[in-house]
Amino acid sequence: MNRYCFLLQVRPERLAEYKERHAAVWPEMLRALADSGWTNYSLFAREDGLLVGYVEAHDLIAAQEAMARTDVNSRWQEQMGEFFIGLDGRAPDEGFLLLEQVFNLEDQLGKTV
């Protein structure tokens, strides 16, 4: 399983509402994410709206493409798009900045045995 981390910028004045929306994500959306291969998916927010996402997937591009084929994702992305800065017309799930993993404890521990 591959690990992915990404950044997005939520409008600071909309952060409270963004958190509320994610406290009760639509069950259909949750199922679609799981069925599309998104696992161990978490979002973390800083006070200024910096959003850090973490997800595990066999192939993130394939997982994103599978989500793009669902109706629920189209509806969710349309509603979520208004919360973000700097997407340049892209949906939030297409506009995030992937980060490079530089360290993982389990990976390195596995090399020491």
Side-chain angles (χ1 to χ4, degrees):
M1 191 69 64
N2 296 303
R3 295 176 290 265
Y4 302 93
C5 186
F6 60 87
L7 299 177
L8 284 163
Q9 181 63 49
V10 176
R11 297 176 188 283
E13 69 276 9
R14 303 285 309 269
L15 185 58
E17 183 183 357
Y18 182 83
K19 289 178 182 181
E20 285 178 25
R21 297 269 190 106
H22 282 80
V25 173
W26 307 331
E28 183 184 6
M29 183 64 171
L30 299 174
R31 283 190 303 278
L33 285 163
D35 291 347
S36 297
W38 295 66
T39 63
N40 202 17
Y41 183 26
S42 298
L43 296 171
F44 303 85
R46 196 168 69 179
E47 285 180 12
D48 65 357
L50 179 66
L51 189 74
V52 177
Y54 175 84
V55 63
E56 295 175 1
H58 290 292
D59 179 340
L60 183 60
I61 293 172
Q64 287 176 297
E65 289 172 350
M67 281 302 292
R69 291 189 295 270
T70 67
D71 176 61
V72 67
N73 188 61
S74 298
R75 290 183 282 124
W76 182 264
Q77 297 304 319
E78 184 178 330
Q79 288 193 15
M80 291 300 108
E82 66 190 44
F83 288 94
F84 293 96
I85 298 168
L87 292 178
D88 299 322
R90 295 170 291 179
D93 65 343
E94 297 171 354
F96 53 68
L97 173 66
L98 277 176
L99 301 179
E100 176 186 2
Q101 180 176 304
V102 297
F103 171 80
N104 180 272
L105 176 61
E106 285 73 21
D107 288 349
Q108 289 199 22
L109 281 173
K111 294 175 186 177
T112 64
V113 177

